[in-house]
Each structure stands twice: as C-alpha cells, then as structure tokens.
Amino acid sequence: MKRTLEGIEEQFEMFQILNEDGEVVNEEALPDLSDEELKELMHRMVYTRILDQRSIALNRQGRLGFYAPTAGQEASQLGTHFALEKEDFILPGYRDVPQLIWHGLPLYQAFLFSRGHFHGNQFPEGVNALSPQIIIGAQYTQAAGVALGMKRRGKKSVAITYTGDGGTSQGDFYEGMNFAGAYDAPAIFIVQNNQFAISVPREKQTKAKTLAQKAVAVGIPGIVVDGMDVLAVYAATKEARERAINGEGPTLIETLTYRYGPHTMAGDDPTRYRTEDMDTEWEKQDPLVRFRKYLEAKGLWSEEEENKVIDQAKEEIKAAIKEADNYPKMKVSDLINNMYEVLPSNLEEQLEVYKEKESK
Amino acid sequence: MAQMTMIQAITDALRTELKNDENVMIFGEDVGKNGGVFRATEGLQAEFGEERVFDTPLAESAIGGMAVGLALEGFRPVPEIQFFGFVYEVMDAISGQLARLRYRSGGTQNAPVTIRAPFGGGVHTPELHADSLEGLMAQQPGLKVVIPSNPYDAKGLLISAIRDNDPVIYLEHMKLYRSFREEVPEEEYTVELGKAAVKREGTDVTLIAYGAMVQASMKAAEELEKNNVSAEVIDLRTVSPIDLDTVLASVKKTGRVVVVQEAQRQAGIAAHLISEIQERAILHLEAPVMRVAAPDTVFAFSQAEEVWLPNHNDIVEKANEVINF
C-alpha cells in the first residue's frame, strides 16, 4: 500500500478573519468583542510596537541588556493574550515579554529582567506566570505540568505557552504536548512561526508543510492562524481556551508571523539571511496597519487616539527605566539567600564571607 | 517496630507522606498499577487513587518538566526516574530548571520536588542502569543529593526529602533494596538532610563512604580490626551538601582518611570532599587523604562487575597504604 501525505494539508489551511486591507473575510468567525475591547486591543498593539522601538534604542544606548525584538508579532502575542483570564498561567519564551506585561508584570521589572536583575523575575502576587524561558522547549513540558495541576485542583483556567518555529524541532516540544494530550490537560501551545530561527529558515527545521500538523503526532487539534490578524489569533485562542476549560484537552496553534527586527540585539544581522523583498512583503502584512484600517472603518480609531497611546507609552517607558535605574544593586548575599529556603552549610559559610565583604 | 528491607522502608515513607500531605503526588513510568519496577510504590495507587499515584508516558524530560509545572500549582511532586542512567534525558529539567526555580524567581517560586531513582552496581543490570552519577547532581547549585545505605535512614531521609521545600535527588542503591532487613519504626520520623552518621567509632583511620560502599567499609573495618587497626566509618547519607562538621571531627581524631565511592575516580564526590579536608584540616593529617573508587572507564559490562566495582578488599588495602605512609 502506497503511503501519501495527501489530505493532511487541507486540514491545516490558514484561518483568517481580516485580510491585509482590514476587510472581514470570514464574517461567521468574527469574535464577539465590544467596541471598547477592540480599542483596547489596538491600544496594546500600538503600545507594544512603541515599547519595541524604545527597547531597541535603549539597548543600543546600553540602558537595557538582553532584548529579543517583537515588532511584527503584536497580533500573535497580544491576540493570544487577550483571550486569557487573570487566573490563566503563562509560560513564555524569551521573546514573550509583552504578554507578561499585559498580564500584570510592571514595566520596570521587565526592564530589570532585560538587564539581568533578579527583581525583574519577582512577579507580584497574582501575576500567574514564569519568567521568560531561555531553554527552548522547556516551557512546553512545564506547561503540561501546570495544566495538569490546574485540572487536579478543579480550576477553570489554562496554562498557555509559547515557542517559535525553530522550537518545534525540540524533543521537549513534542513531549510537552504529548503529556498534556495524554492527561487531557487544559493547555494551549502556541507556535509563533516568525519564519526564522536566528538565521535558519523554517523550511530547514522540518519537511512538514505546516507546524500545526505536528499536533497530529500527539492526537490533539492543531490550527494554522494568520498571525498578523489579531482577530483570527484571538478567536483561535479563545476557542482553544473554551475547549481546555471544558475538559477537552490541549490545542496547538501556529501563528504565521514575522519579526521585523533581528533575532536579538546581541549582534544578529538579519541582512545576512533575509532579503529586502521578504521584509517588504511582510511589512504589507503589518498587524497594526490592517487592524487600524478595520477600526477606522468602524469609526473606532483615529490618529489622535493613536498619538495619545504613543505619548503615554513613551512617558511610561521613561518612568519605568528611571525606576529600574533606582532599584538597588544586587549583592552576592542576595543571590545566596535566594537559593534555598534553609541554607545548606556551604552557603551559610559563604554568606558570612560575603556579608563581611559587603559591610566594608 | 518492624523488620523492613530498604525498599519496604521507602514504600512506607511514601505512604506516610501521601497520607500526611494531600499535595504529594507520585508519578513516573510504571509506578501506578504495576507498583514500580522494584515494587517501591506497591499498593500506593490502590490506596490513594490514580490522581495521586499515576503512570506517565515514557519520556524522562517531560516527567521532570511536569514536576516543575505541578510545583508551580502548589503540589509536592515525587517523580521517579526508572534508572538513574536515564537522567541524561532529564538533565535540563533537573539542573537547568528545578534547581534554579527559587533563585531565578528571586525567591517568589519554589520547587518542593523529590526525584527518586535507583542506581548502583552488583546486580548485573543491562547498560546504563547502574551508573553512579551523583557527582553530576552534586555539582549543581540548588539541589540536595541524598543516598541512604540502610532501611532506617532510607525512611527518615525520604520523609525529610519530601518535606523539604527545595528539590532533592534521592538515589536508591539497587543492591541495597533487599539485601538485608533492619528494625524500622512504623510511625513517622525524620533523618535530617545534610547530616552524616558515624557508623563505627575508631581511632586510627577514618573511612568515609556512602551508598553500598558503607557496608563494604564496615566489612573492611572488621578486617582491619583483626590487625589491630581501629577504623572509624562515616556514612555521609547526604552527598550534597556534605556534613563537614562530622567529617572534620573524625579527621582531627584519626589523622588519616580514605574516601570510598563506587563511582569512577574522576566522578562521584570524593575529590570535592578531599579538597575540603585538606583546606580545613591539613595540619591534622599524618598522611595524604586517599581514594577508593572505580576505574575511569565506562561502567563495566555486567560480567565484569566483580573485578571492576570497588569492594572491601580495596578499602583494606588503601587503609593500610594510608596507615603505612
């Protein structure tokens, strides 16, 4: 019997609601969002675009450390997040700082994370999240655990986690989804396919035509979404959340998106592997442009409103950087004290040594 | 009191903690209905239900990741890695994640996780079942590494490990599972983590050991006694952190030390311990501190275990070398 892959691709056609001109192309899938909610979504996307621009500038001035640009992924990052509730738990990758901020992480702490200060990871009570995961894939197996924990507690909440296209090649990516599937745990697995893992194009990661179809391997639903269309991203996540809290298990969502900037600010140069044509093509897809058009046609958005958001973002970023500047420097004794609930003998001894040094 | 093997003492500790704390969860490959490949979790699923004691798909990395996630939801996970040679699959989840959770969150999150795993030679297991890899774990800040050598300690240390609010690696030597019985109290009790035990008092030489090498050292001490050499035997019980107070008190008394491990010479924890001794007690030493350890090869093919694994004769020989230095 000849085995073929026919029929697989049709199951993973891209889900879209708004086209690049901001026109609704899928009326029946249109999510039920109030005018205020629609405006709030736009507000968050604009704010996050400014945050990205300012973060890149601050990084260049040496006022921020590790930074992974987010421009282009606003619909993917904030559309998924907008479908969540406060009690949902986020397990972000290193590029997913915006979701944390909109989940309640104070901006100055996000900046301290970038600089490499532990206070940046001391999330306020009630901000249900882990700090950004640097080990690609680890967040997926951990999400399975958080989700199973929620199920055992009888909570009506979900664990959501994010990785990129490259991350789908990791073993933990598969294992995490497989465990969540086996336990029917309320998890949402997001793959933000921004076309490149540093310099390696998505085609080099796998021969699979979509990343969403990797869900088939673990027996859970998968969907490809236009990741530049915030309404489609929101609708897909909302549906996955409903399924999850109704005990129907996890979902894999692939968002087709793009990062306009480099991989990180640590010396990556995208001109080595990306063409200008490619950038131009994806800039036409800009999630802000199409959603702006959509809202303007509905009379819900204006240049004035947008400028207000921009001014507010710039002002808050300035204040947050100042607050980060003023935060006390770390001492070795702080680092030691954060290791265990009760210090073992070796650290007790080292704590004394460093306290002595610090008192001079 | 009841006569128990080490494996029974372990099951008893697990049962005690499942009863005591509803957040305790046991999971791993075949630990549920099957009761574990060594019967360590025998009867626990029947008694406490599938929500508390359950099987996982066959993937160590995700078992570790799940432990992190469940800890974040307030559970007290006690996952099992079927054989510690399989730890390589889950090194990130343990060393890269669990061990760092409290630190990376600035103390706002923690992982009260106890990872149980069998290891150890002498029972002719297939490849990568018996390897002594405690040295890898002992090098990771954020972990504690516990290795009991007898049923009484096994129960008390496991209860302490489970109650600890930071991750503990609890390694069970396969050869000790059923090799002897001992009086073990039926009620709950704890043995403090990070505390060694003086198993035998002596004045001429200190033998410091852990795991199956404790019994070998006791046997060696008996042999040495026949030649009027009085050996003190210390069972470390926790190999990270090491109880230096107990070690140094003995070193200062005897002035001569042999550190005994089953792991290869380049592995284990002996080198670290010797370094601490020479930094802190060199003026009390009559001879260099020496090591009994396995050869620096990959763990022996099972038929070669007998010639490869360190035994009491190697300890006697090394003790005499130190005494006659």
Side-chain angles (χ1 to χ4, degrees), chain B residues 5-319:
Chain B
T5 60
M6 192 165 96
I7 197 98
Q8 288 169 332
I10 286 167
T11 311
D12 196 42
L14 293 172
R15 182 179 289 110
T16 301
E17 289 311 278
L18 281 164
K19 246 185 238 168
N20 268 336
D21 184 346
E22 59 178 20
N23 290 316
V24 171
M25 253 188 192
I26 293 172
F27 53 93
E29 297 156 8
D30 310 290
V31 303
K33 198 170 183 186
N34 192 42
V37 292
F38 291 103
R39 303 289 169 261
T41 53
E42 175 94 7
L44 297 181
Q45 188 183 72
E47 191 176 342
F48 297 96
E50 273 188 60
E51 301 222 325
R52 306 283 307 281
V53 181
F54 56 94
D55 291 322
T56 65
L58 203 169
E60 284 76 16
S61 186
I63 291 172
M66 275 235 303
V68 176
L70 287 165
L72 290 167
E73 278 297 306
F75 288 96
R76 195 169 283 277
V78 187
E80 179 183 295
I81 303 298
Q82 200 160 62
F83 294 94
F84 205 56
F86 311 164
V87 71
Y88 297 117
E89 297 283 351
V90 61
M91 276 299 280
D92 176 60
I94 296 174
S95 293
Q97 308 292 329
L98 271 174
R100 303 167 67 100
L101 190 59
R102 185 185 289 276
Y103 174 90
R104 75 188 291 262
S105 68
T108 57
Q109 291 162 331
N110 68 308
V113 174
T114 302
I115 296 183
R116 290 183 40 249
F119 80 108
V123 288
H124 295 186
T125 49
E127 199 170 14
L128 265 171
H129 282 53
D131 295 53
S132 288
L133 302 171
E134 69 280 5
L136 295 175
M137 299 288 110
Q139 290 213 4
Q140 177 56 53
L143 299 177
K144 291 173 189 153
V145 185
V146 174
I147 305 182
S149 70
N150 57 71
Y152 180 90
D153 284 352
K155 179 173 173 181
L157 287 167
L158 184 51
I159 292 175
S160 293
I162 294 172
R163 292 181 186 180
D164 199 285
N165 286 328
D166 290 301
V168 177
I169 310 298
Y170 182 91
L171 300 176
E172 305 165 5
H173 200 293
M174 282 184 273
K175 201 181 170 190
L176 300 177
Y177 267 154
R178 293 184 176 85
S179 61
F180 64 99
R181 286 174 186 274
E182 195 176 76
E183 287 289 326
V184 175
E186 280 167 86
E187 65 272 16
E188 62 174 77
Y189 64 91
T190 57
V191 171
E192 196 181 339
L193 305 184
K195 288 278 177 272
V198 178
K199 301 291 284 185
R200 185 185 201 277
E201 295 205 8
T203 51
D204 298 331
V205 61
T206 300
L207 308 177
I208 307 174
Y210 58 95
M213 290 297 107
V214 174
Q215 271 195 316
S217 298
M218 291 297 278
K219 200 169 169 191
E222 279 167 35
E223 297 282 317
L224 289 163
E225 188 72 55
K226 289 176 191 161
N227 292 320
N228 290 322
V229 173
S230 163
E232 180 147 302
V233 178
I234 294 178
D235 178 357
L236 286 176
R237 301 199 290 198
T238 297
V239 301
S240 180
I242 290 174
D243 177 3
L244 287 179
D245 290 344
T246 301
V247 165
L248 293 172
S250 180
V251 171
K252 287 172 186 173
K253 181 169 68 171
T254 63
R256 298 174 199 271
V257 189
V258 177
V259 181
V260 186
Q261 67 180 22
E262 181 175 317
Q264 294 89 337
R265 192 175 163 88
Q266 70 184 50
I269 55 93
H272 167 66
L273 177 53
I274 292 167
S275 183
E276 293 288 1
I277 292 169
Q278 73 84 16
E279 269 191 57
R280 293 161 197 268
I282 196 161
L283 296 178
H284 296 270
L285 292 175
E286 304 291 338
V289 181
M290 293 195 189
R291 266 179 284 185
V292 171
D296 286 330
T297 71
V298 166
F299 191 93
F301 284 97
S302 59
Q303 291 203 326
E305 275 188 335
E306 206 170 307
V307 293
W308 189 85
L309 285 168
N311 60 30
H312 69 280
N313 290 326
D314 300 315
I315 303 169
V316 170
E317 209 172 282
K318 195 59 78 178

